[in-house]
Amino acid sequence: MKIILTQEVSGLGAPGDIVEVKNGYGRNYLLPQGFAISWTKGAEKQVTVIKRARSAREIRDLGHASEVKDQLEGLKVTLKARAGDGGRLFGSVTPAEIVDAVKAAGGPALDRRRLELPGHIKTTGSYPVRIKLHPEVTAKFDLTVVQG
């Protein structure tokens, strides 16, 4: 089955890529989740629009990714979350909240889909967070979750 990816799928490709996958994987997972659209001649023309949007969001090159990495690793990122006694959060911290906290701390705008969390963050404390800025550049910073 031929499909066009609309979002990044690890191990498969980036938005705008035309890939061949097994029928069940495409029909039962990629298409219903919105990660891809079916390939047609008309849909192939949309690939340029998808790739243009991706290039606007993406880090420009390796040098720019290194600058962003240096900026991120120098940040003190603190996130206030509602918590009960003992530091247990009501819910968990989402990647979107982390991206907002980085921006509030003076950092760059990031893509929440590129964050790699150490697992579910459900208590207050300090957590290491990794973000893949470029295929060759991964930045690491500490996220401190406080009761607020």
Side-chain angles (χ1 to χ4, degrees):
M1 170 179 228
K2 218 174 186 182
I3 58 169
I4 301 170
L5 296 177
T6 57
Q7 293 183 18
E8 185 170 338
V9 179
S10 62
L12 198 55
D17 290 350
I18 299 171
V19 293
E20 185 79 30
V21 297
K22 294 197 176 189
N23 290 340
Y25 183 51
R27 189 173 47 247
N28 297 326
Y29 179 68
L30 295 174
L31 295 175
Q33 296 290 328
F35 293 142
I37 56 174
S38 295
W39 178 88
T40 61
K41 288 182 183 178
E44 190 168 4
K45 293 177 184 173
Q46 291 180 325
V47 169
T48 57
V49 174
I50 293 171
K51 286 189 176 184
R52 194 175 321 127
R54 180 176 96 192
S55 67
R57 277 195 319 263
E58 200 170 75
I59 304 290
R60 288 189 297 278
D61 57 5
L62 188 60
H64 184 235
S66 297
E67 289 175 17
V68 173
K69 177 183 178 183
D70 293 340
Q71 184 181 5
L72 276 175
E73 290 181 346
L75 281 180
K76 301 285 185 213
V77 182
T78 304
L79 178 68
K80 290 185 178 181
R82 290 186 46 214
D85 294 334
R88 186 163 170 81
L89 300 181
F90 297 122
S92 63
V93 175
T94 64
E97 291 173 327
I98 295 172
V99 168
D100 291 341
V102 168
K103 204 171 207 176
L110 301 172
D111 187 0
R112 65 177 169 74
R113 293 181 294 263
R114 296 184 180 272
L115 283 176
E116 297 173 5
L117 301 176
H120 295 288
I121 300 175
K122 295 188 175 201
T123 58
T124 57
S126 183
Y127 297 91
V129 177
R130 295 169 32 132
I131 183 161
K132 193 168 188 175
L133 299 170
H134 189 270
E136 301 169 17
V137 180
T138 302
K140 298 173 188 158
F141 62 91
D142 284 329
L143 171 72
T144 305
V145 180
V146 296
Q147 187 171 355

